[in-house]
Amino acid sequence: MSTSPWNKDSWKLFPAMQQVDWPDKEQYVNVLQQITDLPPLVFAGEIRKLRKLIADAAEGRGFLLQGGDCAEEFKECTALTIRETMKVILQMAVVMTFAGEKPVIKVGRIAGQYAKPRSSPVEIRDGVELPSFRGDMVNASDFTKEARNPDCKRLLDGYFHSASSLNILRAFTRGGYASLEKVHAWNKEFLKQSKEGKSYEELAFQIEKALTFMRVIGFEPEKVPQLSEVNFYTSHEALLLGYEEALTRQDSLTGIWYDCSAHLLWIGDRTRQVDGAHVEFLRGVHNPIGIKIGPDHDLDDLKRILDTLNPNNESGRMVIITRFGKEKIATYLPPLLRSIKEHGAKVLWSCDPMHGNTFTSDSNYKTRNFNDILMEIRHFFEIHYAEGTVPGGVHFELTGKDVTECMGGAQEIMDHHLENNYATSCDPRLNAQQSLELAFLIADMLKR
Ligand code: PEP
Ligand code: CO
């Protein structure tokens, strides 16, 4: 555990897992220098606002909704794709806020989720072995030797795709599109006939009535930021430390360091070693930090990680994202909650019901079952309520599109449907209807 002085490259003194061996070292240094000279992607004031919201949610005065692609793709950096992802998150949030009666913090896995840790460094297809796809910021997903070669110019492409994504997100959320008066417009044509789409229309209708009433009594919704705008935050896994370091900036107002590549950064289940480079890097930046925790963890290690990342036990700093799977959550979550409670660490508890429930279907697609996802979320809420802790958020891999990647849900997607529109470049995502269905179910759990 490091107690030595931190600076933005002190992580280099520690072992770093899941890094890339860039073939052209000189070009790599050059690219990082260019990113260092470019403007920050997000701003310290926004990050501070998010920390405040997370601090509230950790005490039950809010709920964190984090979601987006497993791996974003450069070619999907379009106004349409970004708008559809944002829309489904806004729909889910409004359902959870209205039916669940909690303010919802909206955080996308978006505008920078371009680098992936992999369980194997190589992929074998029909006897051919190539390096694994590591995300668009590293290599390309096509199964050829050229495509799989790491290319550090992709780091710069990642920066610019993040900047474009953020730009359109800011326009959508500030320019009236995310206004509550547009709540009907967030529904999607292909959803309208489904049960979820209809329930959503009903809820939107009630919100509209409330807004009309406010207008009648002389209130102007467009002048109230809470009604006319949305705060939408970005997040990704802080994996490639050279890139994250290049976007780490000192706030001119406070002198405090922030990683300005996204508002919230998380450490993956594979890179959270207490003596590792990821923990060392993130301990010095003041963003809210997520840590993914799967079944393979050590409670004492975890306490040391929390002490390292949050030595003053500040609220709003730590988000623990558990991802045990529907079978294992009952074994692992209660001792974890007790141990952290006894330690006195302030954290927001979030549930990732995706990564512990992945399997390969008979037709050989990597998939997840809607019911398994739902079951892990139910267990998550029940266990927290039983332990007297706060179930503070959820973390999904989802898309606003009508894909067929996860099985089940009201659409009853079966194994033989997966091939219809299986579009992910990494893990299977919930589609828009499955996401909305979960939002209604979670709203009920929130209201308890
Ligand atoms: C992910 O969130 O895509 C991921 C790789 O998760 P984990 O680190 O929990 O396996
Ligand atoms: Co994933």
Side-chain angles (χ1 to χ4, degrees), residues 69-71 109 113 115-118 237 266-271 291-294 321-323 352 355-356 368 395 397 426-427:
D69 291 323
C70 177
R109 280 176 68 116
Q113 177 54 18
K116 297 306 297 174
R118 300 314 300 251
E237 176 171 350
W266 77 86
I267 314 184
D269 198 33
R270 294 168 187 79
T271 51
I291 318 179
K292 293 284 209 88
I293 305 288
I321 307 163
T322 56
R323 29 90 84 225
D352 165 359
H355 289 88
R368 291 158 175 159
H395 182 117
E397 289 184 339
C426 199
D427 288 343

Side-chain angles (χ1 to χ4, degrees), residues 323-340:
R323 29 90 84 225
F324 293 129
K326 59 148 188 183
E327 305 287 356
K328 295 183 179 164
I329 184 170
T331 310
Y332 290 102
L333 188 56
L336 174 61
L337 296 181
R338 284 174 210 153
S339 156
I340 300 305

Side-chain angles (χ1 to χ4, degrees), residues 309-413:
L309 289 172
N310 195 16
N312 300 323
N313 203 16
E314 291 168 18
S315 53
R317 163 72 164 168
M318 298 307 314
V319 179
I320 297 187
I321 307 163
T322 56
R323 29 90 84 225
F324 293 129
K326 59 148 188 183
E327 305 287 356
K328 295 183 179 164
I329 184 170
T331 310
Y332 290 102
L333 188 56
L336 174 61
L337 296 181
R338 284 174 210 153
S339 156
I340 300 305
K341 192 154 77 171
E342 182 194 282
H343 194 57
K346 288 187 182 145
V347 303
L348 174 108
W349 293 101
S350 177
C351 172
D352 165 359
M354 311 301 290
H355 289 88
N357 294 309
T358 318
F359 65 97
T360 304
S361 75
D362 292 338
S363 63
N364 212 22
Y365 280 99
K366 191 179 185 185
T367 189
R368 291 158 175 159
N369 200 308
F370 184 90
N371 282 335
D372 296 347
I373 292 167
L374 178 59
M375 199 190 292
E376 180 158 358
I377 302 170
R378 283 204 194 287
H379 281 313
F380 173 78
F381 274 87
E382 282 159 13
I383 293 167
H384 274 284
Y385 289 147
E387 296 292 331
T389 43
V390 178
V394 281
H395 182 117
F396 290 123
E397 289 184 339
L398 58 76
T399 168
K401 296 190 172 172
D402 197 13
V403 300
T404 51
E405 296 170 6
C406 291
M407 293 177 20
Q411 279 165 292
E412 297 185 19
I413 296 176

